Amino acid sequence: MKKTIIALFVLCAMVLSMSQVFAAGESALEISKVAAKPGETVGVTVSVKNSPGITAMILTIEYDDTNLTMEKVDFNIEDNNSFKMTSPTLDSGMKITWVNGLKDFEGTWLHATMTFKVSETAPAGEYPVKITGKLDASNTKEELVGFAIQNGSITVSVDSTGLNLSKTDLKLHQGASETLTATVTPPNASQSVSWESDHPNVATVDASGKVTAVSGGAATITATTADGKASATCAVTVEAHTYTGAYQTDAENHWQLCACGDQGPKTPHTFEWVMDKVATVDDTGLKHEECTVCHYKRSENTEIPKHEHILTKTDAKDPTHQEDGNIEYWTCTECGAIFEDQEGTSFITKEKTVVPKIPHTFAPEWSSDESGHFHACECGEKDGLTAHTYGDWEVTQEATASQDGSRKRTCSVCGYEQVETIPADRPVVTPPTPSETQTQPKPSASPEDPPKTGDFAAPALWVCLMAVSGLAAALTLAGKKKRK
């Protein structure tokens, strides 16, 4: 990338005292940091901080002229300062003469503003604007003055409008991995994206877009642009390892391989003795041990001593849909040899005694229950169990204030009906208010209540009252006669 170097020659002449006074704090030259979008024009400033007193300075400014164009430089001109362009353009080597100097001070002084035009096709990113090379600055004593340099930049941002992934569907075997590539549009937008998996237990994704299959299932990988304005997804299907085919073996274990080459778990052999030659009273026999799963053999040509067979009968058993059956056979208790006759003359292997279980016969029409619909075998086994696909609810009986109602919905596949009760709309009983309680009629007096006025229910009381009155009258009359 071509770099443009602009030399800003600043000649500072200033009347300074014979004893130079320096500003407190560190002296620094600072270039500002600004943000822009393609096609925009921005200003980048150059400032002097804590000037020690300057008579002359040469600055060299470097920037990326492929995506940036410097259009002009504006200097901060004070009353006693003047500038003169000594170069016809702002190309590399351009010089500016600054007449009069900059006295010492503490603080920040704006020295110049550089105006840049950002290219329409500038990619998103940070473009440095910096002071390079040797910095020449001196004071009135022609002593070199030290400055700290703080470079600036123009950060160009481009809004993303779209995001495409190298794959929108991805199938992986468990444990495998593949890296997705993301392309952001427009091309000059930031190509940085973030990645996320909605089911990391099925598939994970790292910061580079590498997808790793963890376990069988489905996951969605989402990529999002740095500004969050665009995203894209990839549907990942992880196939769990299926270990099939011929068994791999060693002396102790057997295992199978997945189609992807992954090795399945090792399982120890389960051995049993297999008869190769039946022993008789007159001749020895031979046998070997064989794994019942992978048929790995060991202890081959093991001798069976001569002996007379002592046979035990095993009755025949009919097979079912769930279990194998067997034929009638006899087994020698001494050597384990199996015979299909009780005389022990017809030797057979154990496999020959097995009657395979009856294959399921699934009806073509649908059967159903609350769990779903399926094809049923007469033994009760279910094939193709699938959840019902219900339509809308249909009210079959409206609920009233005193009676529950009902509604149903029907599976569009098998016709199964799901029925629910609609509760009755019973009124709520409200307790009486205090005012209603006060207006209730008072209860009638009980027989134990005392008699009220005008109550003739107590004759004995009246007789007593009459006797007292008569006595009082007699005493009064007697008193009158005595006075006469």
Side-chain angles (χ1 to χ4, degrees):
M1 180 181 292
K2 178 182 176 184
K3 300 289 183 180
T4 297
I5 298 178
I6 298 179
L8 305 180
F9 175 77
V10 184
L11 176 61
C12 310
M14 168 180 280
V15 177
L16 300 173
S17 63
M18 292 300 292
S19 59
Q20 183 69 37
V21 180
F22 294 97
E26 182 183 38
S27 298
L29 287 172
E30 298 178 345
I31 300 179
S32 63
K33 295 183 178 182
V34 298
K37 291 185 178 295
E40 290 184 347
T41 300
V42 291
V44 177
T45 61
V46 180
S47 300
V48 178
K49 183 178 180 181
N50 299 327
S51 170
I54 306 169
T55 57
M57 185 188 308
I58 299 176
L59 301 181
T60 302
I61 304 296
E62 183 180 289
Y63 66 94
D64 176 2
D65 68 349
T66 301
N67 296 291
L68 302 176
T69 301
M70 183 183 289
E71 295 186 333
K72 62 178 180 176
V73 179
D74 295 316
F75 288 90
N76 183 15
I77 303 176
E78 295 183 342
D79 293 340
N80 62 340
N81 293 329
S82 62
F83 296 88
K84 179 175 67 175
M85 293 289 294
T86 57
S87 299
T89 67
L90 296 178
D91 294 338
S92 175
M94 179 273 294
K95 295 181 180 181
I96 298 175
T97 300
W98 180 14
V99 180
N100 292 332
L102 184 62
K103 63 184 179 180
D104 67 305
F105 64 86
E106 183 176 0
T108 302
W109 182 74
L110 176 63
H111 173 54
T113 300
M114 299 174 289
T115 301
F116 290 91
K117 175 69 178 288
V118 182
S119 168
E120 294 283 355
T121 59
E126 184 176 13
Y127 296 88
V129 179
K130 55 188 179 180
I131 298 171
T132 62
K134 181 181 178 182
L135 174 63
D136 292 325
S138 59
N139 56 26
T140 55
K141 295 181 180 181
E142 297 184 359
E143 299 170 334
L144 292 178
V145 178
F147 281 88
I149 304 298
Q150 179 180 308
N151 291 315
S153 63
I154 299 175
T155 300
V156 177
S157 62
V158 182
D159 292 340
S160 61
T161 58
L163 175 60
N164 296 312
L165 297 182
S166 53
K167 287 188 176 181
T168 56
D169 292 282
L170 183 61
K171 291 184 178 181
L172 295 173
H173 269 286
Q174 185 177 347
S177 61
E178 185 170 332
T179 300
L180 297 173
T181 332
T183 303
V184 182
T185 53
N188 59 335
S190 171
Q191 298 298 306
S192 175
V193 298
S194 59
W195 299 88
E196 184 180 10
S197 170
D198 67 340
H199 287 91
N201 60 316
V202 175
T204 60
V205 62
D206 65 12
S208 67
K210 181 181 179 180
V211 180
T212 302
V214 178
S215 62
T220 300
I221 303 299
T222 302
T224 305
T225 56
D227 60 9
K229 295 185 177 181
S231 62
T233 60
C234 176
V236 179
T237 303
V238 177
E239 298 177 359
H241 292 304
T242 304
Y243 302 107
T244 57
Y247 280 96
Q248 312 296 307
T249 62
D250 58 26
E252 298 177 350
N253 303 287
H254 53 256
W255 63 92
Q256 292 174 292
L257 300 178
C258 179
C260 69
D262 189 76
Q263 178 180 297
K266 290 186 175 183
T267 306
H269 296 302
T270 54
F271 289 104
E272 69 175 11
W273 286 102
V274 176
M275 194 76 61
D276 298 313
K277 178 185 176 184
V278 179
T280 65
V281 176
D282 302 319
D283 196 6
T284 59
L286 294 174
K287 64 180 180 179
H288 69 272
E289 287 184 288
E290 186 170 318
C291 177
T292 59
V293 177
C294 68
H295 303 292
Y296 178 83
K297 297 178 182 180
R298 72 180 183 185
S299 307
E300 296 184 88
N301 297 319
T302 300
E303 188 176 274
I304 304 171
K306 301 174 186 179
H307 68 279
E308 181 179 355
H309 295 299
I310 301 173
L311 302 180
T312 300
K313 180 182 179 181
T314 299
D315 292 327
K317 184 177 75 171
D318 293 331
T320 66
H321 289 283
Q322 285 77 30
E323 293 183 348
D324 292 332
N326 59 264
I327 63 171
E328 181 183 66
Y329 62 91
W330 285 259
T331 306
C332 175
T333 58
E334 293 291 326
C335 66
I338 301 173
F339 302 90
E340 62 181 349
D341 63 320
Q342 62 182 348
E343 290 79 18
T345 59
S346 180
F347 169 74
I348 59 173
T349 61
K350 188 173 182 179
E351 288 78 9
K352 295 292 185 180
T353 68
V354 177
V355 180
K357 59 179 140 184
I358 303 170
H360 292 295
T361 303
F362 296 104
E365 64 274 5
W366 287 109
S367 296
S368 60
D369 57 24
E370 62 182 9
S371 66
H373 45 259
F374 49 86
H375 298 288
C377 178
E378 61 181 359
C379 70
E381 187 74 15
K382 300 175 182 179
D383 180 56
L385 177 62
T386 308
H388 292 300
T389 305
Y390 288 112
D392 296 331
W393 285 105
E394 174 188 351
V395 176
T396 54
Q397 182 176 342
E398 297 285 351
T400 65
S402 59
Q403 185 176 359
D404 292 339
S406 62
R407 64 176 185 172
K408 69 176 183 179
R409 57 179 181 173
T410 306
C411 175
S412 60
V413 177
C414 67
Y416 177 83
E417 292 185 352
Q418 182 183 25
V419 179
E420 283 189 354
T421 299
I422 304 174
D425 187 17
R426 294 181 176 86
V428 178
V429 178
T430 306
T433 61
S435 60
E436 292 173 339
T437 304
Q438 294 172 2
T439 59
Q440 298 296 320
K442 296 181 180 179
S444 59
S446 65
E448 290 78 11
D449 290 340
K452 308 296 188 298
T453 303
D455 189 351
F456 300 96
L461 179 61
W462 284 102
V463 171
C464 290
L465 289 173
M466 291 176 67
V468 172
S469 299
L471 179 60
L475 290 174
T476 302
L477 182 59
K480 288 182 177 181
K481 288 181 177 183
K482 187 176 181 180
R483 286 194 299 269
K484 289 180 180 182

